[in-house]
Amino acid sequence: MATPRRAAPFKDQFPYTGSVPSDFDLLSATMKRVTELERCVHIQERTLLKKDQEIAALEEKIKKLQNNKIDSSLQVSQELGIKCQKLQQRVQEMEQFLKDYGLVWVGDDDSSSSSKPDTRTWTSGHSSSTFQPDFDLILQNLQDLNILGGEGKSCIEYRDGGARLISPKPVQLTLYSNGIIMFNGPFRSYQEASTKQCLQDIMDGYFPAELQSRFPDGIPFQVTDKRNVVFREHHSWEEFPGHGQTVGITTSSVQETRELPGLQLSVDQFLNKLPQSVVRAGKVLDIRGPIREVLQEAGAKEKLNEIQVESLLVEEVEKRSDQNIAVSTLRIKSENGEYTYKVRMLESETIGDLRVHLSNCRSSHVNSYEIVSRFPHRVYDDESSTLKQLGLVPNAFLLLRAKGSELSGVQNTPGTNAYSQT
């Protein structure tokens, strides 16, 4: 039985069959394979060398980019520094230019806002915190605005047949603790948006925007500083019938007033400022007549409930025309607020004299009531004190309160049912 023949190990190198390869054949095949391997190694070496060169080139490029970036950042920083210096120099030149014309630039950056509280006007979307003006800053800025508005200057007014020099009539401005009065009124609270805007314009060093259309060239202000006085708007006693209560009475140094500043117009002076008639829908309507009737009716009603009381000493002083003796005018409301006593006395007369004058026109007993003032609350019970000592000159507004109306620290004040805490 024949044995199967084993395959030759170098079949590829020896295609022929039938004989065993010799040593030379084996060596030749081995050398050929070594040569092939060496060729592959050389190729790999060249590939690695090429990669190393590429890596080196990339590293060099990265290094150049990094250097360029550093140089670029330094260049940008230097350019920004130069630009900043130019802007600072320009700002200084602009500030100097404004200073030459008496103006000051008011910025709104972080430094200014941190050094000065933000008290800007406050429309919708702004803070609703209580607005409190800087009175000293307002007075200081108004002095500068008055110079720009023509204070001390005169202009020519031409008339038929001639001309004359006139000075601009200043705007009357009164500053109170709780608001302002411009011109002859009305009273404007600090919480009104228009008042905030007006005062904010002045505090920023500008002429109020609300007056620019009326006075395009500016106008001086005549300011009356009453920052320690609270203005109380007048309300008719009929609005609050009955007896009211004042809770927590404390003494206060804050003064209060209801008098509007400036000269009060008479009925005729007021009506002369109105048109005599207007045309509406083809009809001529009288303006002054109906308004005069309304004002006269209101004046007659007020005088109907006002009782005039005058000291005999005042009559003697007026007969002698002695102007060295001051006369005080007191307006005193009755217990129920129905009547007002207008009392004219000398400042040297006492509270006891006042009670005597009131008893001449009242049916109640002279000691059945107390004489008090609401703002600040005070009871005038010292019969020997003079009006001058009590500060009731040249005029004052007082109330009469029935005795025994005080109960458990709560004092009843006739004529109002509104609660107020001073």
Side-chain angles (χ1 to χ4, degrees):
M1 184 174 179
T3 304
R5 185 179 296 178
R6 187 174 59 178
F10 299 98
K11 184 178 181 180
D12 296 336
Q13 289 80 2
F14 305 100
Y16 55 88
T17 57
S19 63
V20 177
S22 62
D23 294 339
F24 178 78
D25 294 334
L26 294 174
L27 181 61
S28 298
T30 302
M31 290 299 295
K32 186 177 181 179
R33 298 191 63 180
V34 170
T35 302
E36 185 69 22
L37 291 175
E38 288 178 349
R39 187 178 64 83
C40 292
V41 169
H42 288 306
I43 293 174
Q44 294 294 331
E45 287 179 352
R46 287 195 299 268
T47 302
L48 292 176
L49 181 60
K50 187 177 180 180
K51 296 294 184 183
D52 290 339
Q53 291 176 352
E54 292 178 355
I55 291 173
L58 291 175
E59 289 178 348
E60 185 69 19
K61 187 179 294 186
I62 291 174
K63 189 178 296 184
K64 289 181 179 180
L65 291 175
Q66 290 177 346
N67 293 334
N68 292 335
K69 185 177 180 180
I70 295 175
D71 295 339
S72 176
S73 61
L74 291 176
Q75 183 179 0
V76 171
S77 177
Q78 292 175 356
E79 291 177 355
L80 290 177
I82 295 173
K83 185 179 293 186
C84 182
Q85 292 177 358
K86 290 181 179 180
L87 291 175
Q88 287 178 348
Q89 183 178 0
R90 187 173 300 178
V91 169
Q92 292 175 358
E93 292 175 354
M94 293 174 63
E95 289 180 347
Q96 183 63 36
F97 174 78
L98 295 175
K99 185 177 180 182
D100 293 340
Y101 287 88
L103 302 176
V104 178
W105 172 257
V106 180
D108 53 359
D109 55 356
D110 294 339
S111 60
S112 63
S113 62
S114 61
S115 60
K116 185 176 68 174
D118 187 9
T119 55
R120 292 186 174 271
T121 298
W122 315 109
T123 57
S124 59
H126 287 268
S127 174
S128 59
S129 59
T130 303
F131 176 81
Q132 186 63 33
D134 188 342
F135 294 103
D136 295 331
L137 181 60
I138 290 175
L139 296 176
Q140 179 182 354
N141 289 348
L142 282 178
Q143 292 179 357
D144 299 334
L145 291 174
N146 286 345
I147 296 175
L148 298 176
E151 185 180 37
K153 298 181 181 180
S154 300
C155 59
I156 301 176
E157 182 184 26
Y158 293 96
R159 290 187 170 184
D160 295 338
R164 66 171 183 171
L165 290 175
I166 60 172
S167 299
K169 187 177 180 181
V171 173
Q172 302 291 333
L173 177 62
T174 305
L175 303 174
Y176 291 98
S177 175
N178 58 333
I180 66 172
I181 293 180
M182 191 178 295
F183 301 101
N184 290 326
F187 176 75
R188 298 167 55 178
S189 171
Y190 289 139
Q191 306 313 315
E192 296 179 11
S194 61
T195 308
K196 294 179 183 179
Q197 182 65 54
C198 176
L199 295 181
Q200 188 63 51
D201 288 342
I202 297 176
M203 289 191 292
D204 289 342
Y206 301 109
F207 190 74
E210 65 181 65
L211 300 178
Q212 290 179 2
S213 59
R214 185 173 179 182
F215 305 102
D217 298 328
I219 191 73
F221 287 85
Q222 184 175 350
V223 186
T224 304
D225 186 5
K226 293 186 177 182
R227 69 180 72 180
N228 296 323
V229 178
V230 177
F231 186 87
R232 297 293 182 188
E233 297 186 77
H234 178 74
H235 296 284
S236 175
W237 286 89
E238 286 76 8
E239 296 180 10
F240 308 106
H243 295 274
Q245 296 179 334
T246 303
V247 183
I249 298 299
T250 57
T251 59
S252 173
S253 60
V254 178
Q255 301 178 5
E256 301 207 7
T257 182
R258 287 186 172 90
E259 299 294 332
L260 292 175
L263 297 177
Q264 303 299 318
L265 298 178
S266 64
V267 175
D268 292 333
Q269 289 174 333
F270 173 72
L271 293 177
N272 288 335
K273 291 180 175 292
L274 303 176
Q276 190 167 2
S277 60
V278 296
V279 178
R280 292 289 184 272
K283 298 181 180 180
V284 180
L285 303 179
D286 183 20
I287 296 297
R288 298 183 182 180
I291 295 179
R292 181 188 293 274
E293 294 177 0
V294 172
L295 294 177
Q296 289 177 348
E297 290 178 1
K301 182 179 179 181
E302 183 177 355
K303 291 182 178 179
L304 184 63
N305 295 331
E306 186 175 89
I307 300 175
Q308 302 286 340
V309 181
E310 193 167 281
S311 171
L312 296 177
L313 297 178
V314 174
E315 297 179 359
E316 295 178 1
V317 169
E318 291 180 346
K319 289 179 181 179
R320 298 197 309 265
S321 300
D322 190 353
Q323 299 180 355
N324 295 326
I325 301 179
V327 177
S328 178
T329 302
L330 306 177
R331 300 180 66 87
I332 306 174
K333 280 286 184 181
S334 61
E335 292 89 340
N336 58 3
E338 183 177 358
Y339 297 102
T340 300
Y341 303 98
K342 185 177 181 180
V343 185
R344 299 179 72 239
M345 301 172 54
L346 299 182
E347 63 177 11
S348 58
E349 293 189 77
T350 64
I351 293 295
D353 297 329
L354 175 59
R355 289 183 178 274
V356 173
H357 296 325
L358 291 176
S359 64
N360 294 332
C361 57
R362 287 169 51 89
S363 58
S364 59
H365 192 267
V366 68
N367 292 323
S368 63
Y369 58 84
E370 293 178 334
I371 302 174
V372 300
S373 62
R374 285 184 61 85
F375 305 107
H377 179 79
R378 183 175 180 181
V379 179
Y380 300 98
D381 53 1
D382 188 355
E383 306 286 336
S384 61
S385 297
T386 64
L387 301 184
K388 184 177 182 180
Q389 292 173 345
L390 297 174
L392 301 177
V393 291
N395 49 62
F397 185 84
L398 303 175
L399 303 173
L400 300 183
R401 182 178 64 189
K403 282 189 175 181
S405 60
E406 183 173 340
L407 179 63
S408 301
V410 179
Q411 304 184 10
N412 296 327
T413 303
T416 175
N417 63 359
Y419 286 88
S420 63
Q421 184 171 1
T422 60

